[in-house]
Amino acid sequence: MIVRILGEGQFRVDDIIADELNHLDTELETAVERGDEAAFSAALTGLLAQVHAQGSPLPPDILEPSDLILPHEDSSMDEVRKLLTDEGLIPG
Amino acid sequence: MLMKGTAARMGVMKRVSLVFKAKANKALDKMEDPRETLDYSYQRQLEMLTKVRRGVADVATSRKRLELQMNQLQQQSNKYDDQARKALGLGREDLAREALTRKATVQGQINDMSTQYAQLQGEEEKLTVASQRLQAKVDAFRTRKETIKATYTAAEAQTRINEAFSGISEEMGDVGMAIQRAEDKTAQMQARAGAIDELMASGALDDSIGGRRDDIQSELDMLSANSDVESELNRLRGELSAGAPKQLEGGSNGSQTGQPQTGQSQAPPTQYAPPPPQAPPYVPPVQDGQPTGLPVADVPQDGDVS
């Protein structure tokens, strides 16, 4: 599957680690819901590390949409919240 | 946890990707003819490329401005360092201390700015890479667009167009956000840089750093001027005592006769700015005609006058 990290580009990631990613992603989501800053940054850091370690960057001339999209490395919780509701964070 | 049934356990990553896809679909739905979509989208991509390149240039400009200011502050810091050295040389530890305190303040500002500088550099790099990535995708899209137009009927093309379109539109969204983030950071920094520029232009920067403008420098100047004055005085004293011993203290002490200029005038040189009382009594000798012995010493060639 293809994972995009915002601000970095796309990575092809083996489906085998999907479970691991989903686990961390659930933690991330819970953290955002609860407004738990520490859990948020731990989960986000973990997700980014996994994709960096397990994924291989996709050539830039590939025109495939991503299956999953990860927030920016330095995202605040507030930014992620806005991303989820699409409050104009994605231009055009 | 159960209260929100909507997309509660889908995960952030999936939800964000759906938001992006929804955005692309919305744009697609507006198009009547799929081929029109291709051309329209391509135009938007070219615009975005221009925008991201301008973004890179803007960040670079801000970074350079910051660099310039850091250099100016560094000069300021060096100046304080020099002053501290001079002050110590003149035995004024208090002044040296003050100069070093100001140097530390300026140095602190420079450190803050280095952090900002690194941030701007980071943004510049990210945007540069983003523009290269977008360029590659736009090129791929253009090729795909021509192929689709040449090979497929409008109906057949739809699926392929949708795929290419959502692929590029995701990239555009990503790049658009990167530009926005860089702009935000640049704007913050420009506001700060503008403030510092103004301070520098008005010469008030020294004020904000502490104390009046260049007061250390003027005090140092005064100290070295004083020592010049001191040596001049000594020279004059030497000349006078050679010719006219009596005249020196005559004005102020009046009644005291004899040898007034023993150690008195030599005592305060380091402490005080020496009062220059010697000059006035020296001027009127010719007019008064009172002290007979004096004029002789004055100038040797004066014999012709009157």
Side-chain angles (χ1 to χ4, degrees), chain B residues 127-152:
Chain B
L127 271 193
T128 305
V129 173
S131 86
Q132 288 162 355
R133 224 168 38 223
L134 182 61
Q135 177 72 68
K137 282 219 181 342
V138 169
D139 289 345
F141 186 90
R142 193 191 56 232
T143 311
R144 184 87 62 94
K145 171 170 89 89
E146 296 311 322
T147 313
I148 291 172
K149 274 180 163 180
T151 321
Y152 301 96

mmCIF file with all atom_site columns, all heavy atoms in Angstrom, chain B residues 127-152:
data_model
loop_
_atom_site.group_PDB
_atom_site.id
_atom_site.type_symbol
_atom_site.label_atom_id
_atom_site.label_alt_id
_atom_site.label_comp_id
_atom_site.label_asym_id
_atom_site.label_entity_id
_atom_site.label_seq_id
_atom_site.pdbx_PDB_ins_code
_atom_site.Cartn_x
_atom_site.Cartn_y
_atom_site.Cartn_z
_atom_site.occupancy
_atom_site.B_iso_or_equiv
_atom_site.pdbx_formal_charge
_atom_site.auth_seq_id
_atom_site.auth_comp_id
_atom_site.auth_asym_id
_atom_site.auth_atom_id
_atom_site.pdbx_PDB_model_num
ATOM 1   N N   . LEU B 1 127 ? 10.458  23.034 0.629   1.00 0.00 ? 127 LEU B N   1
ATOM 2   C CA  . LEU B 1 127 ? 9.728   23.572 -0.520  1.00 0.00 ? 127 LEU B CA  1
ATOM 3   C C   . LEU B 1 127 ? 10.439  23.261 -1.825  1.00 0.00 ? 127 LEU B C   1
ATOM 4   O O   . LEU B 1 127 ? 9.800   22.980 -2.838  1.00 0.00 ? 127 LEU B O   1
ATOM 5   C CB  . LEU B 1 127 ? 9.576   25.093 -0.389  1.00 0.00 ? 127 LEU B CB  1
ATOM 6   C CG  . LEU B 1 127 ? 8.353   25.621 0.342   1.00 0.00 ? 127 LEU B CG  1
ATOM 7   C CD1 . LEU B 1 127 ? 8.210   27.111 0.106   1.00 0.00 ? 127 LEU B CD1 1
ATOM 8   C CD2 . LEU B 1 127 ? 7.073   24.912 -0.115  1.00 0.00 ? 127 LEU B CD2 1
ATOM 9   N N   . THR B 1 128 ? 11.764  23.308 -1.793  1.00 0.00 ? 128 THR B N   1
ATOM 10  C CA  . THR B 1 128 ? 12.522  23.002 -2.999  1.00 0.00 ? 128 THR B CA  1
ATOM 11  C C   . THR B 1 128 ? 12.254  21.564 -3.436  1.00 0.00 ? 128 THR B C   1
ATOM 12  O O   . THR B 1 128 ? 11.955  21.291 -4.605  1.00 0.00 ? 128 THR B O   1
ATOM 13  C CB  . THR B 1 128 ? 14.034  23.193 -2.757  1.00 0.00 ? 128 THR B CB  1
ATOM 14  O OG1 . THR B 1 128 ? 14.246  24.514 -2.264  1.00 0.00 ? 128 THR B OG1 1
ATOM 15  C CG2 . THR B 1 128 ? 14.825  23.009 -4.023  1.00 0.00 ? 128 THR B CG2 1
ATOM 16  N N   . VAL B 1 129 ? 12.339  20.657 -2.458  1.00 0.00 ? 129 VAL B N   1
ATOM 17  C CA  . VAL B 1 129 ? 12.071  19.249 -2.772  1.00 0.00 ? 129 VAL B CA  1
ATOM 18  C C   . VAL B 1 129 ? 10.626  19.082 -3.247  1.00 0.00 ? 129 VAL B C   1
ATOM 19  O O   . VAL B 1 129 ? 10.348  18.361 -4.212  1.00 0.00 ? 129 VAL B O   1
ATOM 20  C CB  . VAL B 1 129 ? 12.348  18.368 -1.529  1.00 0.00 ? 129 VAL B CB  1
ATOM 21  C CG1 . VAL B 1 129 ? 11.919  16.941 -1.785  1.00 0.00 ? 129 VAL B CG1 1
ATOM 22  C CG2 . VAL B 1 129 ? 13.813  18.414 -1.169  1.00 0.00 ? 129 VAL B CG2 1
ATOM 23  N N   . ALA B 1 130 ? 9.703   19.777 -2.587  1.00 0.00 ? 130 ALA B N   1
ATOM 24  C CA  . ALA B 1 130 ? 8.295   19.675 -2.967  1.00 0.00 ? 130 ALA B CA  1
ATOM 25  C C   . ALA B 1 130 ? 8.080   20.152 -4.397  1.00 0.00 ? 130 ALA B C   1
ATOM 26  O O   . ALA B 1 130 ? 7.303   19.552 -5.149  1.00 0.00 ? 130 ALA B O   1
ATOM 27  C CB  . ALA B 1 130 ? 7.429   20.481 -2.016  1.00 0.00 ? 130 ALA B CB  1
ATOM 28  N N   . SER B 1 131 ? 8.784   21.205 -4.775  1.00 0.00 ? 131 SER B N   1
ATOM 29  C CA  . SER B 1 131 ? 8.579   21.720 -6.128  1.00 0.00 ? 131 SER B CA  1
ATOM 30  C C   . SER B 1 131 ? 9.153   20.748 -7.162  1.00 0.00 ? 131 SER B C   1
ATOM 31  O O   . SER B 1 131 ? 8.589   20.571 -8.237  1.00 0.00 ? 131 SER B O   1
ATOM 32  C CB  . SER B 1 131 ? 9.178   23.117 -6.275  1.00 0.00 ? 131 SER B CB  1
ATOM 33  O OG  . SER B 1 131 ? 10.538  23.058 -6.606  1.00 0.00 ? 131 SER B OG  1
ATOM 34  N N   . GLN B 1 132 ? 10.252  20.080 -6.797  1.00 0.00 ? 132 GLN B N   1
ATOM 35  C CA  . GLN B 1 132 ? 10.809  19.074 -7.714  1.00 0.00 ? 132 GLN B CA  1
ATOM 36  C C   . GLN B 1 132 ? 9.857   17.892 -7.873  1.00 0.00 ? 132 GLN B C   1
ATOM 37  O O   . GLN B 1 132 ? 9.655   17.371 -8.965  1.00 0.00 ? 132 GLN B O   1
ATOM 38  C CB  . GLN B 1 132 ? 12.163  18.577 -7.196  1.00 0.00 ? 132 GLN B CB  1
ATOM 39  C CG  . GLN B 1 132 ? 13.268  19.623 -7.348  1.00 0.00 ? 132 GLN B CG  1
ATOM 40  C CD  . GLN B 1 132 ? 14.477  19.331 -6.481  1.00 0.00 ? 132 GLN B CD  1
ATOM 41  O OE1 . GLN B 1 132 ? 14.476  18.397 -5.676  1.00 0.00 ? 132 GLN B OE1 1
ATOM 42  N NE2 . GLN B 1 132 ? 15.519  20.138 -6.631  1.00 0.00 ? 132 GLN B NE2 1
ATOM 43  N N   . ARG B 1 133 ? 9.278   17.501 -6.723  1.00 0.00 ? 133 ARG B N   1
ATOM 44  C CA  . ARG B 1 133 ? 8.345   16.372 -6.759  1.00 0.00 ? 133 ARG B CA  1
ATOM 45  C C   . ARG B 1 133 ? 7.130   16.722 -7.612  1.00 0.00 ? 133 ARG B C   1
ATOM 46  O O   . ARG B 1 133 ? 6.678   15.929 -8.439  1.00 0.00 ? 133 ARG B O   1
ATOM 47  C CB  . ARG B 1 133 ? 7.913   16.063 -5.326  1.00 0.00 ? 133 ARG B CB  1
ATOM 48  C CG  . ARG B 1 133 ? 7.905   14.597 -5.008  1.00 0.00 ? 133 ARG B CG  1
ATOM 49  C CD  . ARG B 1 133 ? 7.757   14.351 -3.525  1.00 0.00 ? 133 ARG B CD  1
ATOM 50  N NE  . ARG B 1 133 ? 6.864   15.266 -2.862  1.00 0.00 ? 133 ARG B NE  1
ATOM 51  C CZ  . ARG B 1 133 ? 7.120   15.823 -1.680  1.00 0.00 ? 133 ARG B CZ  1
ATOM 52  N NH1 . ARG B 1 133 ? 8.222   15.543 -1.044  1.00 0.00 ? 133 ARG B NH1 1
ATOM 53  N NH2 . ARG B 1 133 ? 6.263   16.650 -1.133  1.00 0.00 ? 133 ARG B NH2 1
ATOM 54  N N   . LEU B 1 134 ? 6.621   17.918 -7.381  1.00 0.00 ? 134 LEU B N   1
ATOM 55  C CA  . LEU B 1 134 ? 5.448   18.336 -8.145  1.00 0.00 ? 134 LEU B CA  1
ATOM 56  C C   . LEU B 1 134 ? 5.775   18.420 -9.633  1.00 0.00 ? 134 LEU B C   1
ATOM 57  O O   . LEU B 1 134 ? 4.989   17.996 -10.482 1.00 0.00 ? 134 LEU B O   1
ATOM 58  C CB  . LEU B 1 134 ? 4.924   19.683 -7.634  1.00 0.00 ? 134 LEU B CB  1
ATOM 59  C CG  . LEU B 1 134 ? 3.658   20.195 -8.321  1.00 0.00 ? 134 LEU B CG  1
ATOM 60  C CD1 . LEU B 1 134 ? 2.496   19.220 -8.133  1.00 0.00 ? 134 LEU B CD1 1
ATOM 61  C CD2 . LEU B 1 134 ? 3.266   21.567 -7.789  1.00 0.00 ? 134 LEU B CD2 1
ATOM 62  N N   . GLN B 1 135 ? 6.960   18.941 -9.932  1.00 0.00 ? 135 GLN B N   1
ATOM 63  C CA  . GLN B 1 135 ? 7.379   19.037 -11.333 1.00 0.00 ? 135 GLN B CA  1
ATOM 64  C C   . GLN B 1 135 ? 7.358   17.654 -11.991 1.00 0.00 ? 135 GLN B C   1
ATOM 65  O O   . GLN B 1 135 ? 6.831   17.487 -13.102 1.00 0.00 ? 135 GLN B O   1
ATOM 66  C CB  . GLN B 1 135 ? 8.787   19.638 -11.414 1.00 0.00 ? 135 GLN B CB  1
ATOM 67  C CG  . GLN B 1 135 ? 9.351   19.730 -12.821 1.00 0.00 ? 135 GLN B CG  1
ATOM 68  C CD  . GLN B 1 135 ? 8.674   20.811 -13.657 1.00 0.00 ? 135 GLN B CD  1
ATOM 69  O OE1 . GLN B 1 135 ? 8.826   21.997 -13.378 1.00 0.00 ? 135 GLN B OE1 1
ATOM 70  N NE2 . GLN B 1 135 ? 7.900   20.407 -14.663 1.00 0.00 ? 135 GLN B NE2 1
ATOM 71  N N   . ALA B 1 136 ? 7.917   16.664 -11.297 1.00 0.00 ? 136 ALA B N   1
ATOM 72  C CA  . ALA B 1 136 ? 7.950   15.300 -11.836 1.00 0.00 ? 136 ALA B CA  1
ATOM 73  C C   . ALA B 1 136 ? 6.537   14.779 -12.069 1.00 0.00 ? 136 ALA B C   1
ATOM 74  O O   . ALA B 1 136 ? 6.246   14.143 -13.089 1.00 0.00 ? 136 ALA B O   1
ATOM 75  C CB  . ALA B 1 136 ? 8.714   14.383 -10.893 1.00 0.00 ? 136 ALA B CB  1
ATOM 76  N N   . LYS B 1 137 ? 5.657   15.072 -11.112 1.00 0.00 ? 137 LYS B N   1
ATOM 77  C CA  . LYS B 1 137 ? 4.275   14.579 -11.246 1.00 0.00 ? 137 LYS B CA  1
ATOM 78  C C   . LYS B 1 137 ? 3.537   15.313 -12.366 1.00 0.00 ? 137 LYS B C   1
ATOM 79  O O   . LYS B 1 137 ? 2.739   14.714 -13.097 1.00 0.00 ? 137 LYS B O   1
ATOM 80  C CB  . LYS B 1 137 ? 3.534   14.744 -9.919  1.00 0.00 ? 137 LYS B CB  1
ATOM 81  C CG  . LYS B 1 137 ? 3.886   13.677 -8.880  1.00 0.00 ? 137 LYS B CG  1
ATOM 82  C CD  . LYS B 1 137 ? 2.652   13.271 -8.122  1.00 0.00 ? 137 LYS B CD  1
ATOM 83  C CE  . LYS B 1 137 ? 2.837   12.237 -7.023  1.00 0.00 ? 137 LYS B CE  1
ATOM 84  N NZ  . LYS B 1 137 ? 4.007   11.405 -6.963  1.00 0.00 ? 137 LYS B NZ  1
ATOM 85  N N   . VAL B 1 138 ? 3.794   16.588 -12.487 1.00 0.00 ? 138 VAL B N   1
ATOM 86  C CA  . VAL B 1 138 ? 3.142   17.363 -13.543 1.00 0.00 ? 138 VAL B CA  1
ATOM 87  C C   . VAL B 1 138 ? 3.596   16.855 -14.920 1.00 0.00 ? 138 VAL B C   1
ATOM 88  O O   . VAL B 1 138 ? 2.775   16.699 -15.833 1.00 0.00 ? 138 VAL B O   1
ATOM 89  C CB  . VAL B 1 138 ? 3.446   18.869 -13.389 1.00 0.00 ? 138 VAL B CB  1
ATOM 90  C CG1 . VAL B 1 138 ? 3.002   19.651 -14.622 1.00 0.00 ? 138 VAL B CG1 1
ATOM 91  C CG2 . VAL B 1 138 ? 2.744   19.423 -12.162 1.00 0.00 ? 138 VAL B CG2 1
ATOM 92  N N   . ASP B 1 139 ? 4.886   16.578 -15.026 1.00 0.00 ? 139 ASP B N   1
ATOM 93  C CA  . ASP B 1 139 ? 5.388   16.025 -16.289 1.00 0.00 ? 139 ASP B CA  1
ATOM 94  C C   . ASP B 1 139 ? 4.709   14.695 -16.598 1.00 0.00 ? 139 ASP B C   1
ATOM 95  O O   . ASP B 1 139 ? 4.280   14.442 -17.736 1.00 0.00 ? 139 ASP B O   1
ATOM 96  C CB  . ASP B 1 139 ? 6.910   15.818 -16.216 1.00 0.00 ? 139 ASP B CB  1
ATOM 97  C CG  . ASP B 1 139 ? 7.661   17.146 -16.222 1.00 0.00 ? 139 ASP B CG  1
ATOM 98  O OD1 . ASP B 1 139 ? 7.033   18.169 -16.574 1.00 0.00 ? 139 ASP B OD1 1
ATOM 99  O OD2 . ASP B 1 139 ? 8.861   17.161 -15.870 1.00 0.00 ? 139 ASP B OD2 1
ATOM 100 N N   . ALA B 1 140 ? 4.616   13.847 -15.578 1.00 0.00 ? 140 ALA B N   1
ATOM 101 C CA  . ALA B 1 140 ? 3.975   12.544 -15.770 1.00 0.00 ? 140 ALA B CA  1
ATOM 102 C C   . ALA B 1 140 ? 2.506   12.731 -16.159 1.00 0.00 ? 140 ALA B C   1
ATOM 103 O O   . ALA B 1 140 ? 1.986   12.012 -17.018 1.00 0.00 ? 140 ALA B O   1
ATOM 104 C CB  . ALA B 1 140 ? 4.082   11.715 -14.495 1.00 0.00 ? 140 ALA B CB  1
ATOM 105 N N   . PHE B 1 141 ? 1.871   13.695 -15.532 1.00 0.00 ? 141 PHE B N   1
ATOM 106 C CA  . PHE B 1 141 ? 0.462   13.950 -15.821 1.00 0.00 ? 141 PHE B CA  1
ATOM 107 C C   . PHE B 1 141 ? 0.278   14.395 -17.279 1.00 0.00 ? 141 PHE B C   1
ATOM 108 O O   . PHE B 1 141 ? -0.659  13.976 -17.955 1.00 0.00 ? 141 PHE B O   1
ATOM 109 C CB  . PHE B 1 141 ? -0.085  15.016 -14.869 1.00 0.00 ? 141 PHE B CB  1
ATOM 110 C CG  . PHE B 1 141 ? -1.566  15.234 -15.002 1.00 0.00 ? 141 PHE B CG  1
ATOM 111 C CD1 . PHE B 1 141 ? -2.466  14.500 -14.243 1.00 0.00 ? 141 PHE B CD1 1
ATOM 112 C CD2 . PHE B 1 141 ? -2.070  16.187 -15.886 1.00 0.00 ? 141 PHE B CD2 1
ATOM 113 C CE1 . PHE B 1 141 ? -3.831  14.700 -14.366 1.00 0.00 ? 141 PHE B CE1 1
ATOM 114 C CE2 . PHE B 1 141 ? -3.429  16.401 -16.014 1.00 0.00 ? 141 PHE B CE2 1
ATOM 115 C CZ  . PHE B 1 141 ? -4.315  15.659 -15.253 1.00 0.00 ? 141 PHE B CZ  1
ATOM 116 N N   . ARG B 1 142 ? 1.195   15.269 -17.719 1.00 0.00 ? 142 ARG B N   1
ATOM 117 C CA  . ARG B 1 142 ? 1.067   15.767 -19.092 1.00 0.00 ? 142 ARG B CA  1
ATOM 118 C C   . ARG B 1 142 ? 1.164   14.603 -20.088 1.00 0.00 ? 142 ARG B C   1
ATOM 119 O O   . ARG B 1 142 ? 0.351   14.497 -21.011 1.00 0.00 ? 142 ARG B O   1
ATOM 120 C CB  . ARG B 1 142 ? 2.161   16.798 -19.381 1.00 0.00 ? 142 ARG B CB  1
ATOM 121 C CG  . ARG B 1 142 ? 1.893   17.584 -20.672 1.00 0.00 ? 142 ARG B CG  1
ATOM 122 C CD  . ARG B 1 142 ? 3.092   18.403 -21.090 1.00 0.00 ? 142 ARG B CD  1
ATOM 123 N NE  . ARG B 1 142 ? 4.276   17.572 -21.232 1.00 0.00 ? 142 ARG B NE  1
ATOM 124 C CZ  . ARG B 1 142 ? 5.447   17.809 -20.651 1.00 0.00 ? 142 ARG B CZ  1
ATOM 125 N NH1 . ARG B 1 142 ? 5.604   18.862 -19.884 1.00 0.00 ? 142 ARG B NH1 1
ATOM 126 N NH2 . ARG B 1 142 ? 6.466   16.997 -20.824 1.00 0.00 ? 142 ARG B NH2 1
ATOM 127 N N   . THR B 1 143 ? 2.120   13.700 -19.862 1.00 0.00 ? 143 THR B N   1
ATOM 128 C CA  . THR B 1 143 ? 2.263   12.533 -20.730 1.00 0.00 ? 143 THR B CA  1
ATOM 129 C C   . THR B 1 143 ? 0.998   11.676 -20.701 1.00 0.00 ? 143 THR B C   1
ATOM 130 O O   . THR B 1 143 ? 0.469   11.272 -21.734 1.00 0.00 ? 143 THR B O   1
ATOM 131 C CB  . THR B 1 143 ? 3.467   11.679 -20.264 1.00 0.00 ? 143 THR B CB  1
ATOM 132 O OG1 . THR B 1 143 ? 4.584   12.538 -20.080 1.00 0.00 ? 143 THR B OG1 1
ATOM 133 C CG2 . THR B 1 143 ? 3.785   10.591 -21.250 1.00 0.00 ? 143 THR B CG2 1
ATOM 134 N N   . ARG B 1 144 ? 0.530   11.444 -19.486 1.00 0.00 ? 144 ARG B N   1
ATOM 135 C CA  . ARG B 1 144 ? -0.666  10.619 -19.315 1.00 0.00 ? 144 ARG B CA  1
ATOM 136 C C   . ARG B 1 144 ? -1.860  11.266 -20.018 1.00 0.00 ? 144 ARG B C   1
ATOM 137 O O   . ARG B 1 144 ? -2.663  10.606 -20.681 1.00 0.00 ? 144 ARG B O   1
ATOM 138 C CB  . ARG B 1 144 ? -0.939  10.452 -17.813 1.00 0.00 ? 144 ARG B CB  1
ATOM 139 C CG  . ARG B 1 144 ? -2.091  9.544  -17.438 1.00 0.00 ? 144 ARG B CG  1
ATOM 140 C CD  . ARG B 1 144 ? -1.697  8.080  -17.311 1.00 0.00 ? 144 ARG B CD  1
ATOM 141 N NE  . ARG B 1 144 ? -0.725  7.828  -16.265 1.00 0.00 ? 144 ARG B NE  1
ATOM 142 C CZ  . ARG B 1 144 ? -1.060  7.458  -15.027 1.00 0.00 ? 144 ARG B CZ  1
ATOM 143 N NH1 . ARG B 1 144 ? -2.307  7.335  -14.671 1.00 0.00 ? 144 ARG B NH1 1
ATOM 144 N NH2 . ARG B 1 144 ? -0.106  7.231  -14.149 1.00 0.00 ? 144 ARG B NH2 1
ATOM 145 N N   . LYS B 1 145 ? -1.941  12.556 -19.855 1.00 0.00 ? 145 LYS B N   1
ATOM 146 C CA  . LYS B 1 145 ? -3.043  13.322 -20.460 1.00 0.00 ? 145 LYS B CA  1
ATOM 147 C C   . LYS B 1 145 ? -3.062  13.125 -21.980 1.00 0.00 ? 145 LYS B C   1
ATOM 148 O O   . LYS B 1 145 ? -4.108  12.840 -22.572 1.00 0.00 ? 145 LYS B O   1
ATOM 149 C CB  . LYS B 1 145 ? -2.838  14.800 -20.105 1.00 0.00 ? 145 LYS B CB  1
ATOM 150 C CG  . LYS B 1 145 ? -3.722  15.794 -20.796 1.00 0.00 ? 145 LYS B CG  1
ATOM 151 C CD  . LYS B 1 145 ? -3.575  17.171 -20.154 1.00 0.00 ? 145 LYS B CD  1
ATOM 152 C CE  . LYS B 1 145 ? -2.457  17.997 -20.779 1.00 0.00 ? 145 LYS B CE  1
ATOM 153 N NZ  . LYS B 1 145 ? -2.891  18.811 -21.925 1.00 0.00 ? 145 LYS B NZ  1
ATOM 154 N N   . GLU B 1 146 ? -1.895  13.257 -22.598 1.00 0.00 ? 146 GLU B N   1
ATOM 155 C CA  . GLU B 1 146 ? -1.832  13.115 -24.059 1.00 0.00 ? 146 GLU B CA  1
ATOM 156 C C   . GLU B 1 146 ? -2.189  11.690 -24.479 1.00 0.00 ? 146 GLU B C   1
ATOM 157 O O   . GLU B 1 146 ? -2.901  11.486 -25.469 1.00 0.00 ? 146 GLU B O   1
ATOM 158 C CB  . GLU B 1 146 ? -0.437  13.494 -24.579 1.00 0.00 ? 146 GLU B CB  1
ATOM 159 C CG  . GLU B 1 146 ? -0.060  14.967 -24.338 1.00 0.00 ? 146 GLU B CG  1
ATOM 160 C CD  . GLU B 1 146 ? -1.148  15.941 -24.769 1.00 0.00 ? 146 GLU B CD  1
ATOM 161 O OE1 . GLU B 1 146 ? -1.798  15.699 -25.807 1.00 0.00 ? 146 GLU B OE1 1
ATOM 162 O OE2 . GLU B 1 146 ? -1.378  16.935 -24.046 1.00 0.00 ? 146 GLU B OE2 1
ATOM 163 N N   . THR B 1 147 ? -1.671  10.722 -23.724 1.00 0.00 ? 147 THR B N   1
ATOM 164 C CA  . THR B 1 147 ? -1.976  9.323  -24.032 1.00 0.00 ? 147 THR B CA  1
ATOM 165 C C   . THR B 1 147 ? -3.473  9.065  -23.955 1.00 0.00 ? 147 THR B C   1
ATOM 166 O O   . THR B 1 147 ? -4.072  8.469  -24.850 1.00 0.00 ? 147 THR B O   1
ATOM 167 C CB  . THR B 1 147 ? -1.250  8.379  -23.048 1.00 0.00 ? 147 THR B CB  1
ATOM 168 O OG1 . THR B 1 147 ? 0.094   8.788  -22.939 1.00 0.00 ? 147 THR B OG1 1
ATOM 169 C CG2 . THR B 1 147 ? -1.324  6.939  -23.514 1.00 0.00 ? 147 THR B CG2 1
ATOM 170 N N   . ILE B 1 148 ? -4.062  9.528  -22.865 1.00 0.00 ? 148 ILE B N   1
ATOM 171 C CA  . ILE B 1 148 ? -5.494  9.293  -22.663 1.00 0.00 ? 148 ILE B CA  1
ATOM 172 C C   . ILE B 1 148 ? -6.301  9.930  -23.800 1.00 0.00 ? 148 ILE B C   1
ATOM 173 O O   . ILE B 1 148 ? -7.197  9.310  -24.379 1.00 0.00 ? 148 ILE B O   1
ATOM 174 C CB  . ILE B 1 148 ? -5.955  9.851  -21.303 1.00 0.00 ? 148 ILE B CB  1
ATOM 175 C CG1 . ILE B 1 148 ? -5.354  9.025  -20.168 1.00 0.00 ? 148 ILE B CG1 1
ATOM 176 C CG2 . ILE B 1 148 ? -7.464  9.841  -21.197 1.00 0.00 ? 148 ILE B CG2 1
ATOM 177 C CD1 . ILE B 1 148 ? -5.592  9.597  -18.791 1.00 0.00 ? 148 ILE B CD1 1
ATOM 178 N N   . LYS B 1 149 ? -5.932  11.136 -24.114 1.00 0.00 ? 149 LYS B N   1
ATOM 179 C CA  . LYS B 1 149 ? -6.667  11.839 -25.177 1.00 0.00 ? 149 LYS B CA  1
ATOM 180 C C   . LYS B 1 149 ? -6.555  11.098 -26.508 1.00 0.00 ? 149 LYS B C   1
ATOM 181 O O   . LYS B 1 149 ? -7.516  11.013 -27.277 1.00 0.00 ? 149 LYS B O   1
ATOM 182 C CB  . LYS B 1 149 ? -6.113  13.250 -25.345 1.00 0.00 ? 149 LYS B CB  1
ATOM 183 C CG  . LYS B 1 149 ? -6.723  14.271 -24.423 1.00 0.00 ? 149 LYS B CG  1
ATOM 184 C CD  . LYS B 1 149 ? -6.071  15.603 -24.722 1.00 0.00 ? 149 LYS B CD  1
ATOM 185 C CE  . LYS B 1 149 ? -6.856  16.764 -24.180 1.00 0.00 ? 149 LYS B CE  1
ATOM 186 N NZ  . LYS B 1 149 ? -6.169  18.022 -24.498 1.00 0.00 ? 149 LYS B NZ  1
ATOM 187 N N   . ALA B 1 150 ? -5.380  10.571 -26.784 1.00 0.00 ? 150 ALA B N   1
ATOM 188 C CA  . ALA B 1 150 ? -5.151  9.939  -28.079 1.00 0.00 ? 150 ALA B CA  1
ATOM 189 C C   . ALA B 1 150 ? -5.751  8.540  -28.154 1.00 0.00 ? 150 ALA B C   1
ATOM 190 O O   . ALA B 1 150 ? -6.144  8.077  -29.224 1.00 0.00 ? 150 ALA B O   1
ATOM 191 C CB  . ALA B 1 150 ? -3.650  9.881  -28.356 1.00 0.00 ? 150 ALA B CB  1
ATOM 192 N N   . THR B 1 151 ? -5.807  7.852  -27.017 1.00 0.00 ? 151 THR B N   1
ATOM 193 C CA  . THR B 1 151 ? -6.130  6.430  -27.046 1.00 0.00 ? 151 THR B CA  1
ATOM 194 C C   . THR B 1 151 ? -7.591  6.092  -26.765 1.00 0.00 ? 151 THR B C   1
ATOM 195 O O   . THR B 1 151 ? -8.131  5.150  -27.308 1.00 0.00 ? 151 THR B O   1
ATOM 196 C CB  . THR B 1 151 ? -5.252  5.668  -26.027 1.00 0.00 ? 151 THR B CB  1
ATOM 197 O OG1 . THR B 1 151 ? -3.953  6.216  -26.057 1.00 0.00 ? 151 THR B OG1 1
ATOM 198 C CG2 . THR B 1 151 ? -5.203  4.190  -26.341 1.00 0.00 ? 151 THR B CG2 1
ATOM 199 N N   . TYR B 1 152 ? -8.184  6.850  -25.862 1.00 0.00 ? 152 TYR B N   1
ATOM 200 C CA  . TYR B 1 152 ? -9.487  6.404  -25.377 1.00 0.00 ? 152 TYR B CA  1
ATOM 201 C C   . TYR B 1 152 ? -10.615 7.345  -25.792 1.00 0.00 ? 152 TYR B C   1
ATOM 202 O O   . TYR B 1 152 ? -10.406 8.538  -25.976 1.00 0.00 ? 152 TYR B O   1
ATOM 203 C CB  . TYR B 1 152 ? -9.487  6.307  -23.857 1.00 0.00 ? 152 TYR B CB  1
ATOM 204 C CG  . TYR B 1 152 ? -8.451  5.346  -23.326 1.00 0.00 ? 152 TYR B CG  1
ATOM 205 C CD1 . TYR B 1 152 ? -7.214  5.797  -22.894 1.00 0.00 ? 152 TYR B CD1 1
ATOM 206 C CD2 . TYR B 1 152 ? -8.721  3.980  -23.279 1.00 0.00 ? 152 TYR B CD2 1
ATOM 207 C CE1 . TYR B 1 152 ? -6.255  4.932  -22.414 1.00 0.00 ? 152 TYR B CE1 1
ATOM 208 C CE2 . TYR B 1 152 ? -7.770  3.094  -22.807 1.00 0.00 ? 152 TYR B CE2 1
ATOM 209 C CZ  . TYR B 1 152 ? -6.541  3.578  -22.369 1.00 0.00 ? 152 TYR B CZ  1
ATOM 210 O OH  . TYR B 1 152 ? -5.608  2.708  -21.907 1.00 0.00 ? 152 TYR B OH  1
#
